[in-house]
């Protein structure tokens, strides 16, 4: 006790209790940062947040010790400054923590429960996002009010103070952030785009997984390249978005493959030509039926086994007959792992293509596209005799010369 009185002799009993409470609270938050953040934001990567909050705790602790040191040294000019700065950081810390905690509760209360990667998670909805916006406004104003009261700057609460400046700032910058927030609410209100859905975007050839929809932007996972893509909500909504996870039929996602098969040779007799044409059509049917049977027996090929392949002659071109094969895939799994989606979508299409090639060998159908060429041969005169006088001679280059 004597050592404590020597360190902080100028503190009253209430001030000692306050300093002790702040010190113990700061140490407790430093130790319990990981379990607290995992409780507030479960099933998320909180490593960065844990480091940030612990660094904030260390900074507050240093400011606390610096304030006590200045009190012992008699530095009355700066002692209140450092303790107020530490308390300001604690107020900001409390505001962020309360918003995260209430945001998690609102997501559980107003969000939608979903199974993703064998885990039960809660995703944002239109109602939960509105509640988050209201909470953000209330907590932000409360935090600013607390900071103003802490520093004794009550003049900032006037119309020409910080709140007036803040409102003016929001008004002048509304054209920047308001479209993204409104677009984010539209995304959630549409009830067609959720975390974990596989989508395609117009003017982009790759497929993406929706990782997270925030107030301002959308985070996407590029399935083909394993990239993380960030796009603003307003830009995201301006594009055409196809959701492959939300199918319009129970048959599954419909994908197409195009094969160009050379024109068969036919006989001159019409009866033989009809028989040869039927035989050619039978080979095409056998080709795709054999491919479907092979794919149905392979569990790694994620096709709908209850929906047969469909094919049709879609173009009779100059060089080959173009057949389009339509394949129905199984429902896309609920996962954010790009490898699983890549195996489900691209891997299945590649294996179906391989099965068609194997069946073409067995059925005797050539999938190579021939190049058709027409050659016109002009036979030149083998010998040229001297013509009679006054007779024209036709030369090989189709020019004429008149003999005299």
């Amino acid at each position: 006790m004597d050592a404590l009185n020597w360190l902080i002799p100028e503190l009253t009993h209430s001030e000692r209790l306050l300093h002790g409470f702040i010190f113990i609270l700061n140490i407790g938050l430093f130790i319990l940062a990981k379990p607290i953040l995992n409780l507030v934001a479960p099933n998320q990567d909180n490593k960065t947040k844990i480091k940030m909050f612990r660094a904030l705790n260390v900074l507050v602790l240093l400011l606390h010790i610096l304030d006590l040191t200045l009190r012992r040294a008699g530095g009355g000019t700066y002692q209140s400054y450092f303790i107020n700065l530490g308390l300001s950081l604690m107020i900001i810390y409390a505001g962020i923590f309360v918003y995260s905690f209430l945001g998690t509760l609102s997501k559980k209360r107003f969000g939608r429960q979903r199974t993703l990667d064998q885990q039960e998670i809660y995703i944002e909805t239109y109602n939960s996002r509105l509640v988050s916006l209201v909470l953000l406004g209330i907590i932000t104003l409360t935090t600013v009010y607390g900071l103003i009261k802490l520093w004794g700057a009550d003049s900032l609460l006037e119309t020409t103070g910080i709140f007036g400046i803040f409102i003016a700032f929001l008004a002048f910058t509304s054209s920047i952030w308001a479209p993204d927030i409104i677009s984010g609410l539209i995304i959630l209100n549409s009830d067609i785009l959720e975390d974990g859905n596989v989508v395609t975007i117009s003017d982009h050839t790759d497929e993406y997984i929706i990782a997270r929809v925030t107030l301002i932007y959308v985070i996407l996972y590029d399935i083909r390249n394993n990239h993380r893509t960030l796009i603003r909500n307003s830009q995201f909504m301006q594009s055409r978005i196809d959701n492959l996870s939300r199918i319009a039929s129970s048959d599954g996602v419909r994908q197409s493959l195009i094969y160009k098969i050379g024109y068969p040779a036919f006989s001159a007799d019409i009866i033989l030509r009809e028989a040869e044409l039927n035989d050619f059509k039978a080979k095409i049917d056998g080709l795709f039926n054999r491919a479907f049977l092979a794919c149905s027996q392979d569990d790694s090929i994620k096709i709908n086994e209850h929906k047969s392949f469909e094919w049709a002659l879609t173009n009779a071109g100059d060089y080959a007959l173009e057949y389009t094969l339509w394949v129905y895939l199984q429902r896309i799994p609920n996962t954010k792992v790009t490898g699983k989606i890549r195996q489900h979508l691209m891997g299945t299409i590649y294996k179906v293509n391989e099965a068609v090639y194997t069946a073409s060998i067995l059925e005797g159908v050539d999938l190579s596209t021939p190049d058709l060429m027409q050659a016109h041969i002009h036979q030149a005169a083998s010998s040229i005799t001297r013509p009679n006088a006054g007779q024209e001679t036709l030369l090989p280059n189709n020019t004429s010369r008149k003999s005299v």
Side-chain angles (χ1 to χ4, degrees):
M1 182 63 68
D2 293 336
L4 183 62
N5 291 331
W6 182 85
L7 288 174
I8 45 177
E10 298 181 358
L11 294 181
T12 63
H13 180 70
S14 58
E15 289 177 339
R16 291 181 182 180
L17 292 178
L18 178 61
H19 278 270
F21 173 76
I22 294 175
F23 186 83
I24 295 174
L25 178 63
N26 194 41
I27 296 296
L29 291 175
F30 180 85
I31 298 174
L32 302 177
K34 183 175 181 179
I36 290 175
L37 286 176
N38 290 334
L39 177 64
V40 172
N43 302 324
Q44 295 185 14
D45 187 7
N46 296 319
K47 294 181 180 179
T48 303
K49 292 182 180 180
I50 293 173
K51 292 180 180 180
M52 182 183 69
F53 279 111
R54 284 181 173 173
L56 187 62
N57 292 135
V58 172
L59 181 59
V60 173
L61 182 62
L62 293 177
L63 291 174
H64 194 181
I65 296 174
L66 182 59
D67 176 77
L68 294 178
T69 304
L70 289 175
R71 284 178 179 272
R72 181 68 185 88
T77 305
Y78 300 99
Q79 61 185 17
S80 298
Y81 173 81
F82 286 106
I83 190 60
N84 287 344
L85 184 59
L87 291 175
S88 299
L89 294 177
M90 294 297 293
I91 291 175
I92 296 174
Y93 184 106
I96 297 174
F97 176 79
V98 171
Y99 174 72
S100 300
F101 180 71
L102 294 180
T104 301
L105 293 181
S106 67
K107 187 185 295 186
K108 291 183 179 181
R109 177 62 180 85
F110 301 101
R112 182 181 296 108
Q113 188 176 8
R114 186 182 180 193
T115 302
L116 189 65
D117 292 329
Q118 288 78 44
Q119 292 182 352
E120 296 293 335
I121 64 172
Y122 293 90
I123 59 177
E124 291 277 9
T125 61
Y126 181 77
N127 295 329
S128 65
R129 182 55 52 83
L130 284 178
V131 173
S132 297
L133 286 174
V134 174
L135 290 174
L136 179 61
I138 295 175
I139 293 174
T140 300
L141 293 177
T142 304
T143 303
V144 173
Y145 182 80
L147 293 175
I148 292 174
K149 284 295 185 181
L150 175 64
W151 291 93
D154 293 342
S155 60
L156 296 177
L157 298 176
E158 299 176 358
T159 305
T160 58
I162 188 171
F163 283 105
I165 297 174
F166 181 71
I167 294 174
F169 173 79
L170 293 180
F172 283 113
T173 60
S174 60
S175 60
I176 299 175
W177 52 264
D180 294 318
I181 293 179
I182 295 174
S183 299
L185 293 176
I186 292 175
I187 293 174
L188 297 173
N189 191 42
S190 65
D191 199 25
I192 193 176
L193 299 173
E194 297 178 349
D195 292 357
N197 287 167
V198 179
V199 298
T200 58
I201 308 174
S202 60
D203 300 330
H204 294 78
T205 58
D206 294 349
E207 296 82 4
Y208 300 92
I209 300 176
I210 298 178
R212 186 183 178 190
V213 180
T214 67
L215 288 174
I216 305 298
Y217 55 85
V218 179
I219 300 177
L220 305 173
Y221 292 163
D222 192 325
I223 296 175
R224 294 180 182 266
N225 302 316
N226 280 345
H227 294 168
R228 291 196 180 193
T229 303
L230 186 145
I231 183 171
R232 293 178 58 177
N233 290 339
S234 57
Q235 295 177 346
F236 188 64
M237 288 298 297
Q238 289 175 358
S239 307
R240 172 185 167 178
I241 306 170
D242 295 326
N243 192 342
L244 303 183
S245 298
R246 295 290 186 90
I247 54 178
S249 172
S250 58
D251 295 335
V253 177
R254 194 169 187 250
Q255 301 283 356
S256 61
L257 292 169
I258 297 177
Y259 298 95
K260 295 183 178 181
I261 301 174
Y263 284 91
F266 294 107
S267 303
D269 185 79
I270 187 172
I271 298 178
L272 292 178
R273 287 204 302 269
E274 183 178 2
E276 290 169 350
L277 178 60
N278 292 332
D279 180 64
F280 175 76
K281 291 181 178 179
K283 283 186 177 181
I284 299 299
D285 293 341
L287 163 68
F288 294 126
N289 283 323
R290 184 185 291 271
F292 172 73
L293 181 61
C295 293
S296 301
Q297 295 174 352
D298 191 346
D299 295 334
S300 64
I301 303 178
K302 307 300 182 180
I303 64 169
N304 186 358
E305 301 175 358
H306 305 289
K307 184 64 177 180
S308 301
F309 289 169
E310 297 176 357
W311 59 90
L313 177 61
T314 53
N315 187 19
D318 295 334
Y319 298 98
L321 298 171
E322 184 179 281
Y323 282 87
T324 301
L325 175 67
W326 289 280
V327 179
Y328 293 88
L329 306 182
Q330 297 177 6
R331 184 179 292 273
I332 297 177
N334 294 326
T335 180
K336 291 184 180 180
V337 181
T338 56
K340 292 182 179 180
I341 304 298
R342 187 165 51 246
Q343 181 182 3
H344 190 97
L345 291 177
M346 297 80 183
T348 295
I349 296 300
Y350 297 152
K351 290 181 180 179
V352 168
N353 195 37
E354 183 179 358
V356 171
Y357 172 73
T358 302
S360 69
I361 301 298
L362 300 178
E363 293 292 336
V365 178
D366 190 3
L367 297 181
S368 62
T369 304
D371 288 333
L372 302 181
M373 301 179 61
Q374 292 182 352
H376 300 279
I377 302 175
H378 298 278
Q379 184 176 3
S382 58
S383 63
I384 301 177
T385 59
R386 182 177 179 81
N388 296 327
Q391 184 180 1
E392 290 185 351
T393 303
L394 182 65
L395 299 179
N397 58 359
N398 293 334
T399 61
S400 61
R401 183 178 66 186
K402 186 176 182 179
S403 302
V404 179

